[in-house]
Amino acid sequence: MKSIAVFCGSRFGNNPVYEVYAKEVGTYLANAGIQLVYGGAKVGIMGTIADATLAAGGEVIGVMPKSLEEKEISHEGLTELHIVESMHERKKMMMDLADGFIVFPGGIGTMEEFFEVFTWNTIGILHKPCALLNIAGYYEGLIQMLKHMVDEGFLQQQTNQTLIVEKTIEVIVEKMMEQSAILK
């Protein structure tokens, strides 16, 4: 696995553990030689994970739409920063650049990115592993909702099982590498 996109927020959230994990994830990716692809901001969880990756000697590619460049405050010290016209272009570029996707706790924008990637994998547009980093049980409600979709016949169980749900970056990357081998 050469690059992983991390979908995360431009805020820190209320639990300090999210920032701690962002530092751990960034450091792990750099030490594993995995390039970080993310939203390009220097604030919140986005900035923390980018800074940690860079501090550990890793490469970071940011992708930011012009409309958010001032609001999210683009990170100046990245390996590469792509400024694109729209959110659609941002997601498309991130999907093209990444070999897999990790969804960090975040807000509605993070969820929108997750659901697009999960949907595209489901319908065969993408064939790249996707994982929820379930820090402090953040995604328990979503996990239950996906199970409910399966129970009600709107989501196939085998599709739901392709989603990796773990609490640590090490296990996520290990499972992503296994799934990548299967998907090829």
Side-chain angles (χ1 to χ4, degrees), residues 73-146:
I73 310 169
S74 60
H75 198 300
E76 303 286 324
L78 304 179
T79 309
E80 293 177 33
L81 176 61
H82 300 272
I83 304 297
V84 296
E85 291 297 320
S86 68
M87 288 296 288
H88 294 292
E89 287 181 50
R90 176 195 232 178
K91 290 183 293 184
K92 176 73 170 106
M93 181 175 276
M94 290 176 74
M95 288 180 204
D96 289 344
L97 291 170
D99 298 314
F101 307 90
I102 295 174
V103 185
F104 208 89
I108 197 73
T110 303
M111 291 293 86
E112 192 267 339
E113 291 166 328
F114 160 67
F115 277 112
E116 186 158 335
V117 167
F118 192 46
T119 299
W120 284 25
N121 268 329
T122 299
I123 61 177
I125 295 172
L126 281 178
H127 302 284
K128 299 178 180 184
C130 184
L132 296 175
L133 184 54
N134 194 22
I135 300 167
Y138 186 83
Y139 283 116
E140 290 304 315
L142 178 58
I143 294 162
Q144 288 304 312
M145 185 65 211
L146 293 171

Side-chain angles (χ1 to χ4, degrees), residues 40-60:
K42 71 175 183 180
V43 295
I45 294 300
M46 278 200 261
T48 300
I49 196 168
D51 288 341
T53 305
L54 292 166
E59 293 184 5
V60 180

